[in-house]
């Protein structure tokens, strides 16, 4: 993607225990405008987010809460 800078962030998430949890978190984070990829890991208790626009911690927190989990800061 020429001219687009991609950023990555890893967030720690409390409460994920299985693949279904990973799927819920991934779905909610991908719904944020500008997020292009999410790799959630219940084993690691985290998600790696790739995004092309500036997203806020509040947007991430809201998405993770909508999935039924919480961000560990």
């Amino acid at each position: 993607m020429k001219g687009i800078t991609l950023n990555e962030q890893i967030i720690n998430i409390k409460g994920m225990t299985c693949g279904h949890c990973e799927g819920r978190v991934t779905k909610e984070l991908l719904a944020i405008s500008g997020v292009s990829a999410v790799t959630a890991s219940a084993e690691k208790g985290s998600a790696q987010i790739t995004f092309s626009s500036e997203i806020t911690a509040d947007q991430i927190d809201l998405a993770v809460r909508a999935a039924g989990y919480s961000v560990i800061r």
Side-chain angles (χ1 to χ4, degrees):
M1 288 187 273
K2 190 174 181 179
I4 296 176
T5 301
L6 295 178
N7 302 298
E8 288 186 352
Q9 181 178 1
I10 295 175
I11 58 170
N12 295 312
I13 300 173
K14 180 179 179 182
M16 288 193 303
T17 60
C18 65
H20 178 72
C21 299
E22 295 168 352
R24 288 181 57 135
V25 167
T26 298
K27 178 182 175 186
E28 292 296 335
L29 289 170
L30 284 173
I32 299 172
S33 178
V35 173
S36 58
V38 175
T39 303
S41 171
E43 183 178 343
K44 293 179 182 177
S46 66
Q48 180 174 336
I49 308 168
T50 304
F51 53 97
S52 60
S53 65
E54 199 62 39
I55 61 172
T56 66
D58 286 342
Q59 287 174 292
I60 293 170
D61 290 351
L62 285 171
V64 172
R65 277 200 310 265
Y69 310 96
S70 59
V71 175
I72 302 169
R73 301 236 181 249

